[in-house]
C-alpha cells in the first residue's frame, strides 16, 4: 500500500494511490461505485439465504457488507438464539422424527409484499433439509416462528408469497411417500409424491396460521423453483420440475445415476396452479384428504377442479420466473441453452380451449406451441432469471460462467453476456421480484470462487459479485467473499422501505409476543423468591451492573430466571452468559427473557455480560452460588 | 448510483461517479486504498475472534471482506461442524458440569510464532464463558482440539503464545474456588483464586499435550490481559488485573456494585511471571499441588521460587502489552488517562535488589517508581495498545472514541489522537504482536456502531474500522459492519505467510488425524454390509452423484456411515444432508467422514448434496429407506 499524501492535490494523490495499487480505470470506477463512506448508508439491503448455514444474511448494497446475520434454523450464540434462552422454543417448533433438528438449509428468502411490491415488514425462508418454513419479523430482524411441513421432510422451491402476502408458498422437490413414511422405491410411481404447502399468513399476528393452511398433492416429478403470478397472472402459480422420468437412481445396481436418469427427457413439466381457487377449497373437508390433521388437495381433485395444469418445458429446468408485468413465465432448462417464454394469456386460452392431453396422473398438459411465445439461445447452463426495468431480463449461466442480458415483450433477443467468476447459481436484482424492478444492481451468487480470493483452506468462500446493470454494458463492480454460508437465493429491497425498531418499544419487552412480558423483571423490583425447591429470580441489566449481582441457591433447586435489559439507549445491548449451564442471551434495550434450569451441580458460576457495553463492561458480572 | 460512462475518459468519468455519490476527496482515496479488484489479493488476513458467536473470522485487509468463519466452540452447519458428524467429538472435548456446552465466548486469538514472528501454522483461541482453549490448524482452517481448564470455569486473558509457541497461555479473570467448587463469598479472600494455565503445545502433533501442561495459582484479583515477553524480556509474562479491592459485589444487599467496588484503589497489580522457570517445575510433583490430575504451582511456591512478582499499575487496567523490542510493558489503566510504561530491565533490577513489599498473599510488589519509566496522558478510557514500526504505539481510548498515537523509547509523547466511531475496545495492527510490526494498517474494533450503518433492528453490528497508519496523520479508510459476531481481539498476519492446503493431500483424508482414514470409503469399493443389526455403509461423492444412491435398512439398525469426497479439483466441496437425522457434513476434496446413528424411525429420507457443486447439483441425491 502507499501512504498517499493527505495534504496534497487530491486528484493527483488519488491517482497515485491507484497507480501504486495497480488499479485500472475500471477498477477505480468500481471502487468509487461501491465505497460507502463512514456513516453513509447503503441504498439497498439484500436478504440472502445462508444455505446450509441455516441462517439469513442482511447485506448492504453497493458496499456488500454483512450488516447482520439472522439465525433461523441453527442456534447462534452471538444473537443468543436457541442456546438456553427462550428462543429455544422457536427452534423446537421445527423438531421432528423424534429428535432435535439443530440446523437447516435455507434456500429462498421471500420478502412480504403489498400489491406485488416488497413492503419491508416480514421475511420468510424455507429449510430444504427438513421441509420447514420460518417467519422473520423485520421490526427486530428476529425469527419468530418455524412451521414443519407435515407431508414432507424436504422442500426446495420456497418460500414465495402471493402479491399481498396472504399466503406463503413452500414448493416441494424430491418425492417421498406421504409424511415420509416407508414405501419401496418399486412403488415410486404409485406412492411417492410431492406436496406443495400453502401456509396462511396472518400479518396482524405476524405468524403463519397452521389452522388455515393446506397442501396440494403433486406427481413425483421433482418440483423445483416456483414463482407467483402478479398483475395479469395474479392468482396463479408456476413451478418447474426436473424428473418427469421418475428416475429412482440406483447406480449401485447398474442403473443410471440420478444425474443422467433424470436428464433423459427432452421435456419436463411446468406446473401451472390456480392458487387462488385452491385456497377456496383447501380447508374444505369434503374437498380434501388429510394427514396428521393437515388437509391437502389430491391430484384427482386438483384436476377435477381445474386447479392444476402443466406445460412441457425443456430440459430439467431450474427457475421459473414471472415477468414484472405478469404476462410471461420464463423457464430456463439447465440442459438446454435457451430460455423459454410462456404467455400467461396463451395458457389461459389453452386451458379454456381444452387443448392438451393428460400426463400419467391425469393432469392436462397444454400444448407447447400453444403457450410458448419465444425461445432465446442465451448460453450453457441457464438457471435463473431476474428482471431489470423496461423489458430487460438477466439469466444466470452456470456452465458459461456468465449472466445473459436479454429483452422480452416486444423483441425477444439476447443482448449480451457478462462474465462472472464462477459457476453462477442464482442471481438477484434490486427489487427484482416485484412488479417494478429498479434496474440498477444485480448480484451474481457464484458458487465457486477458486482463484478469486486468498487461499483459506479446502473450504472456500462463495463469490457474490455485484454488477452495475445501469451501465449500457453491465459490469462486475465488486467481488464479495461470502465466507459464512452458501447463499442460495436473495432478494434486494430498497433500504428506505425497512423501518425496524431502534430499541424495543417498552422495558420488559418479550420479542416473541411483541408485547411487554407481565413476568418481566422491572427496575426497582429485582428480587429472588424461594418457594420450597423453586427459586425465581428477577434481574435487571444496565451499564454496568446486574441487579442482583450474587444469587445463592441450593443444588437441586428448580430455577426460573427473568432478566431484563432496562436500557433505552440505541445500541446498548447486554449479553448474559451463565458458565456451566449452557445459557447465552443477547438482550437488546428493553428486552426481557426468561430461562429455566435445574441446579444440577453445586459450585460457583461467574455470570457476566458478554457484550462489550461500556468501559466498565468487565465489571458487569456476578456469582451464581449453588450450595451442595 | 450513476451509470458512469464505461467508454469515455476515465479520470473524468471516475470523478463523475464520485460527484454523483457525494464522495469527498478523502473518500476517494479511502475507496482506492481498500478496493481489491476481482481476482486480486488482500495483503493481510486478520484473524478476529467472534466474541460470543464462539467462532473465529478470517478477514482480508484492506478489503475487510470476511473470507471465512471458523467454527470453534459453537456448532456451525455450513462447515458441517459439530452437527451429526465426526467433529462432534471435537466439540465434546469441551463439555463439563455434566452437560453439553454448545457455544463459547472467543476472546483473544493467538497465531503461532517462531522466534516471536507469526509463522502462519496454527491459531489458538480461548473461550471466556467456559475456560477453554482451542487449537485451529491453518492447513485447513479447522478446529482440531478443545481443552478444558480443570481449575476454572472462566478465563479471559488468553490465548497468548511464547515466542516459539512451546506454550499456549490461558490467563484467568474472575476468581472462584479451585475447580469452581462451592464456597461462600465470605471466604473470598481465603478460598477464591485465579489460575493461569500453561498449555504445552506439541507442534508436530498439532495438539496441546495436556499431560505436560500445568497451572499456577494467583490471588483473587481479576487478572485481565496478558502479554508474553520477547527478545530482551523473553521467558517472562505480564498480566494486568483490576480487582485488587477483592470486591465481591452485592448491590442487592446495599454493597457497592462491582463497577464501583472494583474501582476504589488507585493502583492494581501488574503480575510479572517467570514462565520459563515455571515450566521447569510445573510437572514436578514435589513442587506442585494437583486438582483432577492437573498440577499447579501454588502462590506460596511461586513466591518461594521467584516465579511471581507484581508491580502497582493504575487503575483497573485492561491491556498489558510488551513492546516489539521486548524492553517495555505498556499498561493502560482504563480509569486513568495515562499509559504507563514499565522497563523490563528495571523490573529485573528491582527483583534482584529485593526492593518492594508483599501483597496480602506474600507476593513481592516492586516499587512503582523503580520500574516505571514513563507515563503519557493519552485520553479517557485507554484500553489496549498495539505497535507500529519505529517506536510508535497506538492505544484505544474507549471513552474518547479515538485511537491515540504516541511514541516510546527515546521520547515518550502523545503525537495525536484519531477519532473512531464508537467505543473502541481492542485494536489490532498488522503483525502488531510480533517482534517487527509492519506499521501500515490498524483495525479499531469498535463496540458500538449507532449511526454508522443501516438500521437493522435493536441488535446492531459492530463497526470494525480500518485505519491507514502509514500516513503521517492516520485516518479511517473503511467502516466494516461486523454483523456476524462481536470480535474482541484480532491478530493480523501477512497473507503470504499462510500456506493452507487447496485440497486435502489424499483421497480418504481424515482432517482430525490429518492422515488417510483406513476405514474411509474409497472409489470402487462402495458397498453396504450387514452384520446382524449392524449396517456399515461406504459411500463416495463426486460430481454429481453419491454411490450408492439408495440405501435400504431396517428400523433399529445400528448404522455406521462412511462417506468420502473423491474429488481432486480445487473448490469441489460436497455437502451431505440426511433429513430426519440431524446430520450435516461439509466434505472438502479428499475428505472422509464417518457418522453413526440408530435408525429410530422407519421412513424415506431423501439425502442430498448441500453444496451447489455443479449444474446437476440438484440431481446429487439418494434415498435412505428405513423399513418398519
Amino acid at each position: 500500500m502507499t501512504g498517499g499524501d493527505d495534504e496534497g492535490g487530491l486528484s493527483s494523490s488519488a491517482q497515485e494511490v491507484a497507480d501504486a495499487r495497480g488499479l485500472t480505470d475500471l477498477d477505480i470506477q468500481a471502487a468509487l461505485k461501491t465505497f460507502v463512506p463512514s456513516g453513509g448508508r447503503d441504498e439497498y439491503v439484500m436478504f440472502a439465504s445462508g444455505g446450509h448455514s441455516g441462517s439469513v444474511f442482511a447485506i448492504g448494497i453497493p458496499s456488500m457488507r454483512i450488516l447482520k446475520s439472522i439465525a433461523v434454523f441453527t442456534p447462534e450464540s452471538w444473537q443468543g438464539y436457541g442456546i438456553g434462552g427462550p428462543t429455544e422454543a422457536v427452534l423446537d417448533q421445527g423438531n421432528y422424527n423424534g429428535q432435535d433438528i439443530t440446523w437447516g438449509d435455507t434456500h429462498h428468502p421471500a420478502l412480504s409484499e403489498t400489491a406485488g411490491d416488497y413492503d419491508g415488514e416480514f421475511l420468510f425462508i424455507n429449510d430444504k433439509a427438513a421441509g420447514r418454513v420460518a417467519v422473520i419479523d423485520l421490526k427486530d430482524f428476529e425469527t419468530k416462528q418455524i412451521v414443519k411441513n407435515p407431508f414432507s421432510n424436504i422442500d426446495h422451491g420456497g418460500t414465495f408469497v402471493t402479491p399481498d402476502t396472504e399466503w406463503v408458498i413452500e414448493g416441494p422437490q424430491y418425492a417421498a411417500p406421504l409424511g415420509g413414511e416407508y414405501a419401496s422405491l418399486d412403488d415410486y410411481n404409485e406412492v411417492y409424491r410431492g406436496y406443495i404447502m400453502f401456509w396462511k399468513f396472518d400479518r396482524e399476528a405476524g405468524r403463519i396460521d397452521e389452522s388455515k393452511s393446506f397442501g396440494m398433492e403433486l406427481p413425483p416429478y421433482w418440483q423445483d423453483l416456483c414463482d407467483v403470478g402478479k398483475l395479469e397472472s395474479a392468482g396463479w402459480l408456476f413451478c418447474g420440475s426436473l424428473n418427469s422420468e421418475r428416475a429412482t437412481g440406483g447406480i449401485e445396481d447398474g442403473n443410471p445415476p440420478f444425474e443422467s436418469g433424470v436428464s433423459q427427457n427432452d421435456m419436463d413439466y411446468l406446473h401451472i396452479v390456480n392458487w387462488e381457487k385452491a385456497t377456496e377449497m383447501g380447508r374444505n373437508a369434503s374437498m380434501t384428504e388429510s394427514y396428521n390433521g393437515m388437509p391437502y388437495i389430491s391430484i384427482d381433485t386438483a384436476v377435477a377442479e381445474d386447479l392444476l395444469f402443466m406445460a412441457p418445458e425443456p430440459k430439467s429446468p431450474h427457475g421459473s420466473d414471472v415477468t414484472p408485468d405478469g404476462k410471461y413465465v420464463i423457464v430456463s432448462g439447465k440442459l438446454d441453452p435457451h430460455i423459454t417464454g410462456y404467455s400467461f394469456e396463451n395458457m389461459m386460452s389453452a386451458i379454456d380451449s381444452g387443448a392438451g392431453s393428460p400426463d400419467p396422473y391425469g393432469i392436462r398438459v397444454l400444448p407447447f406451441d400453444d403457450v410458448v411465445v419465444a425461445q432465446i439461445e442465451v448460453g450453457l447452463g441457464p438457471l435463473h432469471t431476474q428482471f431489470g426495468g423496461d423489458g430487460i431480463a438477466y439469466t444466470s449461466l452456470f456452465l458459461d460462467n456468465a449472466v445473459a442480458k436479454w429483452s422480452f415483450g416486444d423483441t425477444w433477443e439476447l443482448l449480451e453476456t457478462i462474465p462472472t467468476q464462477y459457476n453462477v447459481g442464482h442471481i438477484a436484482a434490486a427489487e427484482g421480484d416485484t412488479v417494478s424492478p429498479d434496474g440498477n444492481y444485480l448480484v451474481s451468487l457464484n458458487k465457486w470462487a477458486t482463484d478469486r480470493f486468498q487461499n483459506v483452506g479446502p473450504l472456500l468462500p462463495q463469490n457474490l459479485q455485484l454488477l452495475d446493470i445501469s451501465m449500457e454494458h453491465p459490469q462486475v463492480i465488486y467481488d464479495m467473499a461470502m465466507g459464512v454460508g452458501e447463499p442460495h437465493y436473495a432478494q434486494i429491497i430498497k433500504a428506505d422501505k425497512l423501518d425496524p425498531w431502534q430499541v424495543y418499544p417498552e422495558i420488559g419487552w418479550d420479542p416473541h409476543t411483541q408485547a411487554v412480558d407481565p413476568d418481566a423483571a422491572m427496575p426497582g423490583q429485582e428480587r429472588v423468591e424461594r418457594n420450597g425447591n423453586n427459586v425465581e429470580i428477577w434481574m435487571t441489566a444496565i451499564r454496568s451492573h446486574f441487579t442482583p449481582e450474587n444469587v445463592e441457591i441450593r443444588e437441586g433447586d428448580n430455577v426460573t430466571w427473568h432478566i431484563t435489559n432496562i436500557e433505552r439507549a440505541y445500541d446498548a445491548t447486554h449479553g448474559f452468559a451463565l458458565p456451566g449451564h449452557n445459557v447465552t442471551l443477547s438482550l437488546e434495550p428493553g428486552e426481557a427473557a426468561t430461562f429455566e434450569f435445574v441446579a444440577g451441580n453445586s459450585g460457583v458460576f461467574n455470570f457476566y455480560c458478554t457484550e462489550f457495553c461500556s468501559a466498565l463492561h468487565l465489571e458487569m458480572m456476578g456469582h451464581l452460588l449453588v450450595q451442595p
Side-chain angles (χ1 to χ4, degrees), chain A:
Chain A
M1 88 179 274
T2 58
D5 173 8
D6 56 320
E7 314 289 355
L10 287 155
S11 293
S12 65
S13 75
Q15 191 63 49
E16 281 167 22
V17 172
D19 291 345
R21 297 191 67 238
L23 301 181
T24 68
D25 292 326
L26 285 173
D27 292 337
I28 293 170
Q29 288 193 46
L32 299 180
K33 287 179 179 179
T34 57
F35 182 79
V36 173
S38 184
R41 289 292 181 271
D42 280 294
E43 293 172 63
Y44 291 88
V45 175
M46 176 166 78
F47 290 95
S49 74
H52 44 299
S53 80
S55 320
V56 168
F57 295 93
I59 298 168
I61 288 179
S63 74
M64 301 300 279
R65 296 174 296 187
I66 300 177
L67 300 172
K68 196 173 199 173
S69 69
I70 304 170
V72 186
F73 297 107
T74 307
E76 204 283 341
S77 57
W78 170 56
Q79 299 159 69
Y81 182 71
I83 303 176
T87 46
E88 276 193 356
V90 179
L91 268 176
D92 286 349
Q93 295 173 340
N95 293 337
Y96 75 103
N97 203 38
Q99 65 179 327
D100 291 351
I101 305 294
T102 59
W103 74 286
D105 185 9
T106 58
H107 267 228
H108 302 103
L111 287 155
S112 59
E113 297 182 10
T114 298
D117 202 13
Y118 306 146
D119 58 37
E121 292 192 351
F122 292 92
L123 183 74
F124 309 94
I125 183 78
N126 72 310
D127 166 24
K128 171 170 171 169
R132 302 185 294 182
V133 168
V135 179
I136 297 163
D137 190 337
L138 294 179
K139 275 292 180 207
D140 58 3
F141 283 53
E142 289 191 359
T143 303
K144 302 302 176 186
Q145 183 184 25
I146 293 174
V147 292
K148 172 78 188 80
N149 186 324
F151 306 126
S152 179
N153 294 334
I154 206 142
D155 64 24
H156 181 242
T159 53
F160 305 92
V161 297
T162 54
D164 284 303
T165 322
E166 308 96 327
W167 299 88
V168 181
I169 296 163
E170 179 193 12
Q173 187 164 76
Y174 306 128
L178 182 61
E181 295 189 359
Y182 174 82
S184 166
L185 283 168
D186 295 339
D187 301 325
Y188 186 86
N189 292 349
E190 295 73 31
V191 179
Y192 282 55
R193 293 292 182 268
Y195 293 88
I196 190 167
M197 273 303 301
F198 296 88
W199 296 106
K200 183 79 179 88
F201 184 60
D202 180 341
R203 193 188 285 257
E204 188 68 27
R207 294 288 190 282
I208 284 170
D209 185 345
E210 295 184 72
S211 76
K212 295 181 177 169
S213 303
F214 67 98
M216 181 186 287
E217 181 190 25
L218 295 176
Y221 317 141
W222 294 354
Q223 289 80 25
D224 203 4
L225 294 187
C226 307
D227 201 1
V228 179
K230 56 189 83 164
L231 299 175
E232 186 171 320
S233 54
W236 290 76
L237 170 75
F238 313 93
C239 301
S241 67
L242 70 153
N243 186 10
S244 57
E245 298 84 352
R246 293 177 286 172
T248 56
I251 189 173
E252 65 280 6
D253 296 323
N255 295 328
F258 280 110
E259 63 192 289
S260 54
V262 307
S263 307
Q264 304 304 306
N265 292 348
D266 283 338
M267 291 284 179
D268 291 290
Y269 295 118
L270 176 67
H271 295 49
I272 302 164
V273 180
N274 188 335
W275 69 258
E276 195 154 38
K277 191 172 177 190
T279 62
E280 294 165 10
M281 58 191 74
R283 296 293 302 189
N284 181 336
S286 69
M287 305 293 285
T288 54
E289 313 291 320
S290 167
Y291 181 81
N292 275 353
M294 180 66 77
Y296 66 91
I297 298 169
S298 69
I299 292 176
D300 289 348
T301 300
V303 168
E305 297 294 327
D306 286 344
L307 304 180
L308 177 62
F309 302 90
M310 299 204 284
E313 55 178 0
K315 177 178 183 177
S316 294
H318 188 59
S320 57
D321 299 281
V322 178
T323 55
D325 55 17
K327 292 184 177 175
Y328 306 103
V329 180
I330 310 302
V331 164
S332 324
K334 68 193 180 208
L335 299 177
D336 175 85
H338 301 84
I339 63 89
T340 302
Y342 297 76
S343 155
F344 178 74
E345 188 178 359
N346 292 8
M347 288 181 194
M348 294 301 105
S349 300
I351 288 172
D352 290 344
S353 73
S357 54
D359 87 327
Y361 297 90
I363 304 164
R364 177 145 62 97
V365 182
L366 310 179
F368 185 76
D369 292 338
D370 285 8
V371 293
V372 168
V373 292
Q375 285 191 290
I376 308 174
E377 185 168 337
V378 291
L380 296 181
L383 287 185
H384 186 247
T385 297
Q386 280 277 278
F387 302 96
D390 303 325
I392 299 295
Y394 300 87
T395 299
S396 55
L397 303 174
F398 188 93
L399 294 174
D400 273 352
N401 297 317
V403 172
K405 176 181 177 180
W406 51 275
S407 65
F408 65 92
D410 297 333
T411 57
W412 294 73
E413 61 178 339
L414 175 67
L415 300 174
E416 64 181 306
T417 54
I418 306 111
T420 57
Q421 292 77 31
Y422 302 95
N423 292 356
V424 51
H426 276 258
I427 51 179
E431 301 263 326
D433 285 324
T434 71
V435 294
S436 57
D438 285 0
N440 42 16
Y441 295 111
L442 183 133
V443 175
S444 177
L445 292 92
N446 305 318
K447 312 314 290 185
W448 286 38
T450 55
D451 63 357
R452 292 292 98 177
F453 306 112
Q454 302 310 121
N455 179 3
V456 288
L459 178 62
L460 276 69
Q462 278 61 243
N463 184 15
L464 272 52
Q465 288 184 306
L466 180 66
L467 277 71
D468 179 355
I469 58 169
S470 74
M471 303 168 76
E472 187 184 345
H473 302 294
Q475 283 177 336
V476 171
I477 56 173
Y478 197 85
D479 280 38
M480 174 196 178
M482 183 62 189
V484 292
E486 195 214 16
H488 193 88
Y489 185 51
Q491 286 191 332
I492 301 172
I493 184 174
K494 275 205 182 78
D496 61 13
K497 287 184 174 180
L498 298 168
D499 187 26
W501 289 321
Q502 292 202 325
V503 299
Y504 281 109
E506 296 179 55
I507 288 176
W509 198 261
D510 176 350
H512 190 64
T513 61
Q514 298 289 40
V516 170
D517 174 4
D519 290 328
M522 299 299 271
Q525 297 169 32
E526 300 90 345
R527 63 200 186 278
V528 179
E529 289 183 2
R530 171 176 291 279
N531 185 357
N533 279 339
N534 299 316
V535 175
E536 195 160 0
I537 300 158
W538 285 267
M539 176 178 280
T540 59
I542 192 168
R543 281 163 289 170
S544 296
H545 58 267
F546 298 106
T547 304
E549 290 182 308
N550 297 317
V551 176
E552 189 134 3
I553 62 173
R554 293 192 289 264
E555 196 173 331
D557 281 344
N558 303 306
V559 180
T560 302
W561 196 314
H562 309 283
I563 179 166
T564 303
N565 177 347
I566 61 173
E567 303 268 3
R568 302 311 292 149
Y570 189 32
D571 210 358
T573 291
H574 295 292
F576 179 80
L578 182 56
H581 293 78
N582 209 36
V583 172
T584 178
L585 307 175
S586 178
L587 299 165
E588 280 72 69
E591 182 170 353
T594 296
F595 62 95
E596 298 178 335
F597 62 92
V598 176
N601 292 77
S602 65
V604 175
F605 304 96
N606 312 86
F607 59 80
Y608 68 96
C609 174
T610 50
E611 184 90 17
F612 202 142
C613 55
S614 77
L616 295 173
H617 154 72
L618 287 179
E619 287 78 349
M620 192 166 172
M621 65 83 69
H623 300 91
L624 172 67
L625 300 117
V626 184
Q627 297 174 8

